[in-house]
Amino acid sequence: VILLIQNSYFDTRKKQDLLSAVRTAARLIGALPEAIPAEPALLRRKLANIAPAAHGLSAGRWANIRSLVGRAIGLVRPMLPGRSLAPLLPAWRTLVDRLSENRKIRVQPLLRFLSARGIGPGKVSLEDLEAYRLAILEDRLRDNPETSWDGLLWCWNLCVREIPEWPAITIERASRRDSYIMPWETFPDSFHEDCRRYLRRGSAVDLDDDGPVRPMRASTLKTWDYRLRVAASILVHQGTDAQSIRSIADLVSLARIRLILGFMLARHDQKPTAGVTLMATFLKALATHWAKLDEPDLKTLKAIIGRLGGSSRGLTVKNRTRLRAFDDPAAIERFFAIPEQIRRDLDANKGAPRSRAIKAQMAVAIAILQVAPIRLKNLVNLELEKHLIGRGNRLYLSIEEVEVKNTVLIDIELPPQTVEVIAWYLREHRPCLLREPGPYLFPGEAGAKSPNGLTTQIKQAVFQYSGLVVNTHLFRHASAKVFLDARPGEYEVMRQVLGHKSINTTTSFYAGAETRTASEHFVRVVAGRREANQAANMPILPPKKTKS
């Protein structure tokens, strides 16, 4: 590509811009330009892993670099432009003029693609639509082509249903997952009723010796319901007659548990993932407390779970991998600078008030999670007067025991920097998000903001400004790592910060998180001791004689 740029018809300034963009992209990818294939799909995935703000690049500069790189690759192979200006054929224009602005934005890139090829509404085929899908996946550098196609697919099919003159071609939405889970109607009513009884038992205090000591959360009961259906569906896929699963006892015989876990292991290359272990633990609970399996079978089942890795306590491999980025002091510095960086960007740049307010929400959410790593459910439901309590000139985050997953009170004084970010957001941005007065710190369409929306936007903001992949729950692990790296072994502090009831919970998760720092500290102490011993035992040599 560099050679083609140098020998191209572009003027000197354009050549310099293209060369600079290609070399900058290669540097940020971490490879020499000649080592990067000129394949748009591959390059798009590599560029998606780069956070421009983490490298001191503005959003505008980064967009310009990507555009120039796309133009440079166009010297090697045909490229679909990021923004097509091809005029619409008159027949498409007539149809487009009947659409809302939102639909126009979604469907016009496809219609320009078809118009440039002389394909009107009367000639378009499913193959033409598939050609556009392949083009945006393989011949363009713009982010998230799958999301663009999904939006277009939705819009096109809606037009087919609502506009008689629209080409009557429905685009089927391909499933993104190989789903084997069957509806409840597949199984006998007696099995479903037994499952409902089990869930009802979990929804209230049970006075039996082995019953739950407190009601399970609605989200937990929903997960149990899902796992019951998953386990039964696996058995059917493994050749079991669905009608033979008449109760939970039929589900959790030792032979059938082996079938279920064997199926799940096969789907994960025989690796005992967290999902497999969680299913094994769930089936063991069913077998123990509901189906009342015989003691020999329970003993065998415990041994199986032991071979799978026990009770899945501790950090997952994915979380340990993501936390390694926090070994870099520069990454930690970028991470803790995110709230103020967002604030500076919003204060310095203009934009739509609502979009700016959503980014301000992210600054506040991240600032809170950095000093008070609470769970997503508690973060989403924070109320101004109920949970943010002013005491004198101080502000506390206070969440009662009944609102917390493990019923441990949260009462944390927020530092001045966090308080200032919250005050700035409340003063300048939160009013733009309110359709009517409400108590929530993060208001949404109806009540509090949706958990999925908040966690997705937080993850995007963290990556944009730091280059780190951090979801809302990883804040808890990151805070523990940063603290334990600085103070190895001080688990009790983190136990209280994270709200763990038992120090065993804290140590089971983080006993290895500070291993590197502890090892470095150990090596420094040993090396210092060795140097001191050498100095103490060094023989005193006579002064060298000098020639007269």
Side-chain angles (χ1 to χ4, degrees):
V1 170
I2 289 177
L3 184 62
L4 289 173
I5 293 173
Q6 292 169 338
N7 295 330
S8 69
Y9 58 85
F10 296 125
D11 60 40
T12 302
R13 176 62 183 273
K14 191 65 177 179
K15 289 181 181 180
Q16 290 174 344
D17 289 343
L18 290 169
L19 290 170
S20 174
V22 169
R23 287 168 177 154
T24 299
R27 175 174 57 82
L28 297 182
I29 289 171
L32 295 173
E34 56 267 27
I36 303 173
E39 292 294 332
L42 173 66
L43 187 56
R44 182 179 63 244
R45 290 193 293 271
K46 290 183 177 295
L47 294 177
N49 291 324
I50 296 172
H55 298 279
L57 297 173
S58 67
R61 172 60 179 152
W62 181 238
N64 191 43
I65 289 173
R66 291 182 65 118
S67 176
L68 289 169
V69 170
R71 189 163 184 182
I73 294 178
L75 297 173
V76 178
R77 51 164 292 162
M79 289 286 289
L80 187 68
R83 179 175 297 173
S84 173
L85 300 177
L88 295 177
L89 292 174
W92 284 124
R93 171 58 62 192
T94 300
L95 292 175
V96 165
D97 287 343
R98 300 170 60 179
L99 302 180
S100 66
E101 196 61 32
N102 180 47
R103 289 201 205 178
K104 286 181 183 179
I105 292 172
R106 290 180 183 274
V107 81
Q108 276 194 137
L110 166 62
L111 302 187
R112 291 186 189 278
F113 175 86
L114 296 173
S115 295
R117 287 153 180 76
I119 303 170
K123 295 181 179 180
V124 66
S125 66
L126 190 59
E127 288 73 20
D128 297 321
L129 304 180
E130 178 65 16
Y132 178 73
R133 186 184 76 85
L134 291 176
I136 64 174
L137 288 175
E138 299 179 4
D139 301 330
R140 194 169 71 173
L141 285 184
R142 285 184 61 180
D143 283 335
N144 303 318
E146 296 87 357
T147 303
S148 298
W149 175 252
D150 278 349
L152 171 62
L153 180 152
W154 167 84
C155 181
W156 177 276
N157 288 342
L158 207 59
C159 291
V160 171
R161 291 195 297 270
E162 297 181 358
I163 301 176
E165 296 81 8
W166 201 270
I169 302 171
T170 300
I171 308 174
E172 295 295 330
R173 190 175 192 275
S175 175
R176 293 189 178 183
R177 56 188 299 181
D178 176 19
S179 180
Y180 55 86
I181 304 167
M182 301 174 178
W184 278 114
E185 291 73 23
T186 307
F187 309 101
D189 292 340
S190 59
F191 172 62
H192 196 188
E193 178 55 35
D194 198 30
C195 293
R196 283 194 289 257
R197 284 198 300 270
Y198 179 74
L199 297 177
R200 283 197 297 270
R201 176 177 179 264
S203 66
V205 174
D206 194 312
L207 299 180
D208 292 342
D209 290 342
D210 61 350
V213 296
R214 61 187 177 92
M216 297 295 102
R217 296 176 301 153
S219 58
T220 300
L221 295 174
K222 184 177 180 181
T223 299
W224 288 0
D225 179 270
Y226 177 74
R227 285 183 183 152
L228 285 162
R229 191 156 54 92
V230 168
S233 299
I234 289 174
L235 288 177
V236 175
H237 276 275
Q238 295 287 76
T240 302
D241 181 3
Q243 297 305 307
S244 72
I245 308 173
R246 298 177 299 275
S247 68
I248 291 177
D250 294 328
L251 187 73
V252 294
S253 68
L254 188 57
R256 288 185 169 180
I257 287 176
R258 290 182 189 276
L259 281 175
I260 294 167
L261 298 181
F263 177 87
M264 296 184 72
L265 283 170
R267 285 176 64 88
H268 295 92
D269 299 323
Q270 300 303 320
K271 296 177 181 177
T273 64
V276 176
T277 306
L278 286 170
M279 176 61 85
T281 305
F282 175 67
L283 294 174
K284 174 179 171 292
L286 291 174
T288 304
H289 303 299
W290 191 256
K292 309 291 185 182
L293 246 62
D294 294 337
E295 191 59 38
D297 285 350
L298 287 176
K299 185 176 180 180
T300 302
L301 186 52
K302 290 177 183 177
I304 290 173
I305 293 176
R307 289 195 291 274
L308 290 175
S311 58
S312 72
R313 297 182 68 82
L315 294 175
T316 64
V317 173
K318 181 185 289 186
N319 283 338
R320 287 199 302 270
T321 301
R322 288 178 173 178
L323 285 177
R324 290 193 189 108
F326 287 85
D327 288 339
D328 180 7
I332 296 174
E333 184 177 343
R334 292 196 304 271
F335 176 69
F336 283 104
I338 293 172
E340 281 301 325
Q341 184 63 50
I342 293 176
R343 182 177 179 180
R344 284 195 296 270
D345 281 359
L346 291 179
D347 288 345
N349 300 294
K350 295 181 179 180
R354 183 172 178 80
S355 297
R356 289 163 53 82
I358 291 173
K359 290 198 72 172
Q361 274 189 336
M362 297 311 101
V364 172
I366 292 168
I368 290 174
L369 288 172
Q370 286 175 342
V371 297
I374 58 179
R375 294 178 176 86
L376 177 61
K377 179 181 178 181
N378 294 122
L379 180 69
V380 166
N381 291 304
L382 286 179
E383 297 184 27
L384 293 174
E385 296 184 5
K386 182 178 181 181
H387 300 120
L388 295 173
I389 311 298
R391 300 171 188 165
N393 59 353
R394 298 178 175 180
L395 185 66
Y396 290 80
L397 178 66
S398 183
I399 305 175
E400 295 296 328
E401 295 95 325
V402 294
E403 301 177 68
V404 182
K405 177 182 178 181
N406 57 354
T407 66
V408 174
L409 172 70
I410 295 174
D411 194 34
I412 301 173
E413 181 182 356
L414 299 176
Q417 300 93 326
T418 304
V419 174
E420 176 54 32
V421 171
I422 293 173
W424 161 77
Y425 161 70
L426 294 178
R427 182 177 61 250
E428 300 185 24
H429 296 286
R430 183 174 176 272
C432 299
L433 300 170
L434 290 173
R435 296 188 175 182
E436 57 185 30
Y440 294 105
L441 178 63
F442 304 115
E445 292 293 326
K449 192 179 184 80
S450 75
N452 287 342
L454 184 62
T455 192
T456 299
Q457 290 169 353
I458 288 173
K459 186 176 179 180
Q460 291 171 344
V462 172
F463 179 76
Q464 178 186 351
Y465 285 93
S466 70
L468 300 170
V469 180
V470 180
N471 56 34
T472 47
H473 196 75
L474 197 70
F475 274 86
R476 295 173 63 81
H477 302 321
S479 65
K481 175 173 174 55
V482 170
F483 177 80
L484 290 171
D485 275 353
R487 312 285 277 273
E490 295 192 17
Y491 298 110
E492 176 57 24
V493 175
M494 286 314 305
R495 183 192 74 78
Q496 296 190 37
V497 169
L498 296 175
H500 293 157
K501 285 186 174 180
S502 169
I503 192 69
N504 293 333
T505 303
T506 313
T507 54
S508 69
F509 270 99
Y510 307 116
E514 83 288 17
T515 298
R516 182 188 59 82
T517 304
S519 299
E520 290 176 356
H521 181 65
F522 172 77
V523 169
R524 284 197 300 270
V525 171
V526 171
R529 187 70 264 174
R530 183 180 291 120
E531 291 172 2
N533 288 343
Q534 288 175 345
N537 298 323
M538 186 177 293
I540 300 176
L541 300 176
K544 291 183 179 180
K545 294 182 179 180
T546 58
K547 293 182 180 181
S548 58

